[in-house]
Amino acid sequence: MSDRVIAITGGHGVLGRAVVEAALADGLRVAVIDHVRGQSAPDGVLELGGVDLTDPASAMNAIDAVAARFGRLDALLNIAGGFVWQTTEDPEPAWARMFALNLTTALNAGRAALPHLKASPEGRIVNVGANAALKSAAGMGAYAAAKAGVHRLTESLAEELKDTSVTVNAVLPSILDTAQNRADMPDADPAKWVAPSDLARVMLFLASPESRAITGALIPVTGKV
């Protein structure tokens, strides 16, 4: 896999950084696409900051820049997203924002990447859904609905691309073991959560040639919850 090129949206978040680290350890060539500006990236990583993936033209420019830099693109890992806990009666509903951050970003990045991925012998799209979107709970409506949209996007795009070399899959994590989640849930047992490094390994497998027999899959990664 040493010559494969992967683009990671939301690459400066906790999960994104774990994927970047694991990808570099595998010898992959890596591009990080994020809305955050001015972040440092490891040596050899193409850093594209200030990218608004909710805008199709901005997404297209970023993906094309990756292909121009490395001469190809083999996999897109859509990690960009966001979360809010909010009841339906909240006076400032976050539904539009949740759909923009989680679903629209994956759609725009995927559409921009498709011409390049189709040119790869083993093109891959790996989306990040959510286990919480399989059965929602109080305060999770907007987030779960947006992630359910990611699930349906994954399935439909996989069907559309079955005559190509491109596969499309999604991971459905439960709670990630992050510093923020530990602070927000001090009474929980983080040993039952998912380590970002473990989720990164699953995503990189789905981004690899070895996953060619899997497409349209929604793969729960839930630790011991």
Side-chain angles (χ1 to χ4, degrees):
M1 291 174 60
S2 60
D3 65 337
R4 285 177 65 78
V5 176
I6 68 170
I8 302 168
T9 73
H12 288 309
V14 173
L15 176 57
R17 290 194 298 270
V19 174
V20 169
E21 181 178 336
L24 292 175
D26 285 349
L28 300 176
R29 293 183 287 174
V30 178
V32 169
I33 300 171
D34 206 298
H35 74 283
V36 177
R37 296 179 183 271
Q39 297 290 306
S40 60
D43 291 343
V45 172
L46 174 61
E47 161 64 25
L48 297 172
V51 179
D52 179 9
L53 291 173
T54 67
D55 174 61
S58 181
M60 184 74 72
N61 289 338
I63 294 294
D64 286 348
V66 176
R69 165 69 177 273
F70 295 109
R72 61 189 291 175
L73 177 64
D74 298 293
L76 170 67
L77 279 63
N78 279 315
I79 300 176
F83 172 80
V84 64
W85 190 95
Q86 183 185 77
T87 64
T88 305
E89 293 181 312
D90 192 286
E92 298 182 5
W95 287 71
R97 182 161 69 93
M98 287 295 94
F99 273 78
L101 291 177
N102 293 290
L103 179 55
T104 303
T105 55
L107 173 63
N108 288 341
R111 283 171 53 86
L114 279 179
H116 305 291
L117 296 176
K118 287 180 179 180
S120 169
E122 301 279 359
R124 302 284 183 265
I125 295 177
V126 184
N127 295 322
V128 178
N131 193 61
L134 298 179
K135 179 176 173 56
S136 192
M140 299 286 284
Y143 173 76
K147 286 299 190 180
V150 173
H151 299 177
R152 303 291 83 81
L153 171 65
T154 299
E155 293 169 333
S156 62
L157 187 54
E159 287 295 319
E160 293 170 15
L161 295 172
K162 277 193 171 178
D163 292 333
T164 75
S165 66
V166 182
T167 66
V168 188
N169 296 289
V171 292
L172 279 54
S174 55
I175 302 172
L176 290 183
D177 185 3
T178 67
Q180 185 63 56
N181 283 336
R182 289 190 179 216
D184 291 342
M185 294 175 278
D187 297 328
D189 180 5
K192 296 181 178 180
W193 298 347
V194 177
S197 59
D198 289 337
L199 182 55
R201 295 312 318 173
V202 177
M203 294 184 71
L204 287 177
F205 168 72
L206 293 173
S208 74
E210 286 74 16
S211 68
R212 65 179 60 88
I214 307 171
T215 194
L218 307 175
I219 300 175
V221 185
T222 58
K224 298 179 180 179
V225 173

